[in-house]
């Protein structure tokens, strides 16, 4: 059994395809003083994993944190529709990076890393942005979008792991297999 230290339905779906999992969301502090976005994502993932591991020392813990980076600035989750609109306008027609830091704790050993995927959006007109905002899908999403849903129409191309943009890179599944965990058949 693997414990997923996240309430994200997307992470639960990805990891649950391969392994039996139990979801125990972390309440870890998600603040970080790391300068590089990659370091920040890994630090937050580590905090999440460690916050759960202390209560479940004999279980395998998986935690992740996904951030969107545009022109060296981290785009968090929008506070409201107006902020979501501004984020989508900034991403329109441009390339941004999606970085997911991950941390696995297995038998007291920590394995951590990150994955980077580049995403290019099409040019978004106001009508398309208005339609998307009305879906409500932008809520609780870094960069104000979810690639696996309605926002798929925004994407011109991606370079890298699609599942990383969804919230959990497949690299994590491979790392778990390397640790000897057997996937479902």
């Amino acid at each position: 059994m693997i414990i997923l230290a996240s309430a994200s339905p997307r992470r639960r779906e990805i990891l649950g395809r391969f392994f039996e999992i139990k979801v125990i969301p972390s309440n870890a502090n998600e603040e970080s003083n790391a300068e590089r976005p990659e370091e920040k994502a890994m630090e937050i993932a580590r905090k999440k994993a460690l916050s759960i591991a202390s209560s479940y020392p004999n279980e395998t813990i998986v935690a992740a944190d996904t951030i969107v980076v545009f022109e060296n600035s981290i785009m968090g989750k929008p506070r409201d529709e107006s902020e979501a609109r501004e984020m989508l306008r900034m991403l329109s027609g441009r390339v941004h990076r999606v970085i997911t830091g991950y941390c696995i704790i297995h038998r007291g050993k920590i394995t951590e890393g990150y994955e980077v995927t580049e995403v290019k959006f099409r040019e978004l007109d106001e009508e398309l942005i208005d339609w998307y905002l009305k879906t409500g899908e932008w809520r609780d999403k870094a960069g104000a979008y979810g690639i696996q849903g309605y926002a798929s129409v925004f994407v011109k191309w991606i370079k890298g792991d699609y599942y990383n943009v969804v919230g959990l890179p497949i690299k994590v599944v491979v790392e778990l297999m390397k640790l000897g965990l057997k996937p479902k058949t």
Side-chain angles (χ1 to χ4, degrees):
M1 177 73 69
I2 295 171
I3 294 176
L4 176 60
S6 172
S8 165
R10 293 155 304 277
R11 289 189 183 119
R12 178 175 47 235
E13 179 185 336
I14 295 167
L15 196 58
R17 269 189 219 146
F18 297 94
F19 300 101
E20 295 297 328
I21 64 170
K22 180 176 184 177
V23 174
I24 303 176
S26 167
N27 291 321
N29 177 343
E30 295 190 25
E31 305 254 336
S32 170
N33 293 322
E35 291 187 25
R36 292 182 51 235
E38 298 86 351
E39 293 168 357
K40 178 179 179 161
M42 285 192 309
E43 179 184 340
I44 294 169
R46 185 181 328 110
K47 285 180 177 183
K48 290 175 179 180
L50 289 170
S51 74
I52 299 297
S54 58
S55 299
Y56 299 90
N58 299 320
E59 301 293 338
T60 299
I61 313 295
V62 173
D65 187 65
T66 302
I67 57 177
V68 172
V69 180
F70 175 68
E71 294 183 349
N72 296 318
S73 294
I74 294 172
M75 298 179 96
K77 297 174 183 176
R79 290 184 299 266
D80 55 30
E81 189 175 302
S82 174
E83 191 171 46
R85 179 181 303 281
E86 286 308 308
M87 287 181 179
L88 295 172
R89 284 176 177 158
M90 282 191 279
L91 297 177
S92 175
R94 297 190 178 119
V95 176
H96 61 278
R97 295 182 302 144
V98 178
I99 301 167
T100 301
Y102 64 87
C103 181
I104 301 165
I105 302 177
H106 177 70
R107 296 185 178 154
K109 180 182 175 224
I110 295 178
T111 302
E112 60 187 349
Y114 64 90
E115 186 74 29
V116 180
T117 302
E118 290 184 341
V119 180
K120 179 163 186 178
F121 271 15
R122 302 175 193 289
E123 293 288 336
L124 308 179
D125 61 28
E126 288 303 309
E127 187 178 337
L128 187 58
I129 292 172
D130 287 342
W131 164 78
Y132 182 71
L133 293 173
K134 286 176 188 164
T135 72
E137 185 180 83
W138 56 271
R139 289 184 176 89
D140 200 38
K141 305 262 190 327
Y145 77 96
I147 194 171
Q148 70 284 355
Y150 296 114
S152 60
V153 299
F154 296 167
V155 179
K156 186 167 188 174
W157 55 256
I158 71 167
K159 182 179 177 185
D161 182 346
Y162 166 82
Y163 292 100
N164 181 53
V165 184
V166 176
L168 190 73
I170 292 299
K171 180 191 280 189
V172 171
V173 172
V174 174
E175 292 290 346
L176 290 165
M177 290 178 185
K178 286 181 187 175
L179 292 171
L181 282 85
K182 303 288 185 221
K184 297 190 285 191
T185 52

